[in-house]
Amino acid sequence: VARDCLLALRSGADVVIQHISSGVSIDLIRTYKKLGAKLHAEATPHHFSLTEDAVLEHGTLAKMNPPLRNKDDQEALLAGLLDGTIDMIATEEKSKPITEAPSGIIGLETSLALGITNLVKPGYLTMIQLLEKMTVNPAKLYHLPYGTIQEGADADFVIFDPDETWIPKEYASKSSNSPFTGEELTGKVKYTICGGNIVYSDIK
């Protein structure tokens, strides 16, 4: 991270640093941003929702790269989300021993709910700030025609109930390795619309 921050400052190029999890990395990014580096930082829902203690409870389901870190790192991550150091929130077979299991967990289907549960409800971010980090900011960075609802724009959006509680049990993803299975979350996606077509509906 230190190397890439320096390269960003010296080159003037936009540099994206993904899956930020360390407090030291957040301090570096914050400092180099103040110096004028065009840095963009991204964090995942599992890193702001869990600490390394989750490995004791969930085993390989909590094995990821970068790994879950301690409480101080988690608090630094929350501070980085709050002050804008972290611009974006994004997502990423577990039947083996933890030393052999591949890293990573599914995250898309619980990402919004984890943001609402662990960032909006405790007051770290407003709902608009959360949605900016999950939609508008990534779209702007990668120059994609998304993140807005207006005539002529691509009809790609999600309709959700921010107050509905639910418990993840089954997933549409091919994998189901998540440490959040069975945990009560707030914020339920009701429809996912892609290109104007409903590709997911929670309405029975």
Side-chain angles (χ1 to χ4, degrees), residues 35-111:
L35 292 173
K38 296 178 182 177
L39 288 164
H40 309 275
E42 169 254 277
T44 68
H46 40 277
H47 284 109
F48 65 67
S49 298
L50 300 171
T51 67
E52 59 192 1
D53 293 339
V55 178
L56 298 176
E57 179 180 356
H58 300 289
T60 58
L61 294 180
K63 181 183 180 182
M64 52 202 67
N65 187 20
L68 295 173
R69 301 192 189 276
N70 62 39
K71 187 68 175 177
D72 289 341
D73 288 308
Q74 184 187 43
E75 290 177 355
L77 194 67
L78 293 169
L81 286 162
L82 178 62
D83 69 13
T85 300
I86 299 172
D87 314 282
M88 296 171 287
I89 296 171
T91 62
E92 7 179 354
E93 83 206 319
K94 295 284 183 170
S95 59
K96 298 180 180 180
I98 194 164
T99 54
E100 300 175 17
S103 299
I105 66 170
I106 60 169
L108 181 61
E109 294 175 69
T110 54
S111 59

Side-chain angles (χ1 to χ4, degrees), residues 5-195:
C5 285
L6 181 58
L7 287 172
L9 182 64
R10 297 189 66 174
S11 69
D14 285 285
V15 173
V16 181
I17 301 179
Q18 299 177 316
H19 292 16
I20 292 296
S21 63
S22 162
V24 173
S25 295
I26 295 166
D27 288 341
L28 284 166
I29 294 167
R30 184 181 290 114
T31 298
Y32 274 85
K33 274 190 169 186
K34 289 178 180 178
L35 292 173
K38 296 178 182 177
L39 288 164
H40 309 275
E42 169 254 277
T44 68
H46 40 277
H47 284 109
F48 65 67
S49 298
L50 300 171
T51 67
E52 59 192 1
D53 293 339
V55 178
L56 298 176
E57 179 180 356
H58 300 289
T60 58
L61 294 180
K63 181 183 180 182
M64 52 202 67
N65 187 20
L68 295 173
R69 301 192 189 276
N70 62 39
K71 187 68 175 177
D72 289 341
D73 288 308
Q74 184 187 43
E75 290 177 355
L77 194 67
L78 293 169
L81 286 162
L82 178 62
D83 69 13
T85 300
I86 299 172
D87 314 282
M88 296 171 287
I89 296 171
T91 62
E92 7 179 354
E93 83 206 319
K94 295 284 183 170
S95 59
K96 298 180 180 180
I98 194 164
T99 54
E100 300 175 17
S103 299
I105 66 170
I106 60 169
L108 181 61
E109 294 175 69
T110 54
S111 59
L112 177 62
L114 288 170
I116 293 172
T117 302
N118 297 313
L119 296 178
V120 176
K121 284 184 66 178
Y124 292 108
L125 299 179
T126 65
M127 182 67 74
I128 293 299
Q129 288 172 324
L130 173 66
L131 296 178
E132 285 176 343
K133 290 179 188 293
M134 296 188 75
T135 60
V136 178
N137 292 354
K140 286 182 178 178
L141 173 63
Y142 294 107
H143 308 291
L144 299 172
Y146 306 111
T148 60
I149 299 177
Q150 60 186 26
E151 187 175 353
D154 289 327
D156 294 348
F157 54 93
V158 167
I159 298 173
F160 66 96
D161 182 340
D163 300 313
E164 182 176 340
T165 58
W166 64 291
I167 298 175
K169 295 178 181 178
E170 298 178 349
Y171 303 94
S173 302
K174 292 182 178 179
S175 179
S176 60
N177 55 305
S178 172
F180 304 110
T181 300
E183 179 178 329
E184 184 175 273
L185 302 177
T186 300
K188 187 73 172 68
V189 172
K190 311 306 288 186
Y191 291 100
T192 300
I193 299 169
C194 184

